Amino acid sequence: MTQTASNPGPQLTVSLPAAAASALPAAHVQDFDAAAGLAATLGGGPLVPQIDPEAVAAAGGPEDVLSEVWRTSSYLESKQWELDSALEALRQAVQKASSAGVAQDELCTAANLSAEELAAILPAPDAAPAII
């Protein structure tokens, strides 16, 4: 089973050996597809640093293990900030393109959004500009 990103630009292909794919329940195959799509969106690479159980067991005490929690929490917060920033940049780009007259079907394709997701980003035609 192979999943390839359908976005323009560098392509990421994620494969699962056929024997392993056939041994998985359908729900796991769908989870794999979703994860492959997310990995393609994010540019590939590990999403989370893996924790080595032997390293945890060999840690110098609760303080060392707790410091791993702090580091991982900080890592997650920085990734959430990056995601929020990227989503805001996409929202602004979509609104700018819409204002310039780009058709909504083209916007959906370019932004990789459904029509419903696009409608949630775009202001209503009769909405007054928001005052910040």
Side-chain angles (χ1 to χ4, degrees):
M1 170 168 144
T2 300
Q3 174 92 20
T4 302
S6 60
N7 311 25
Q11 294 295 306
L12 172 68
T13 301
V14 181
S15 298
L16 184 65
S22 64
L24 291 174
H28 290 282
V29 173
Q30 291 171 343
D31 290 345
F32 177 80
D33 288 343
L38 178 61
T41 302
L42 297 176
L47 299 178
V48 178
Q50 296 300 309
I51 298 173
D52 179 13
E54 291 178 13
V56 172
E63 295 81 22
D64 288 343
V65 177
L66 188 57
S67 69
E68 177 70 21
V69 172
W70 279 102
R71 281 192 305 275
T72 305
S73 175
S74 177
Y75 176 79
L76 175 61
E77 187 173 344
S78 70
K79 292 301 176 187
Q80 287 173 334
W81 183 89
E82 288 179 35
L83 179 59
D84 290 345
S85 178
L87 288 171
E88 177 59 19
L90 177 62
R91 184 189 66 78
Q92 290 177 10
V94 165
Q95 287 181 347
K96 183 177 180 180
S98 177
S99 295
V102 175
Q104 288 196 2
D105 61 330
E106 291 180 275
L107 280 174
C108 287
T109 301
N112 197 25
L113 297 172
S114 68
E116 295 79 23
E117 291 169 327
L118 183 64
I121 290 176
L122 296 176
D126 57 349
I131 299 174
I132 300 176

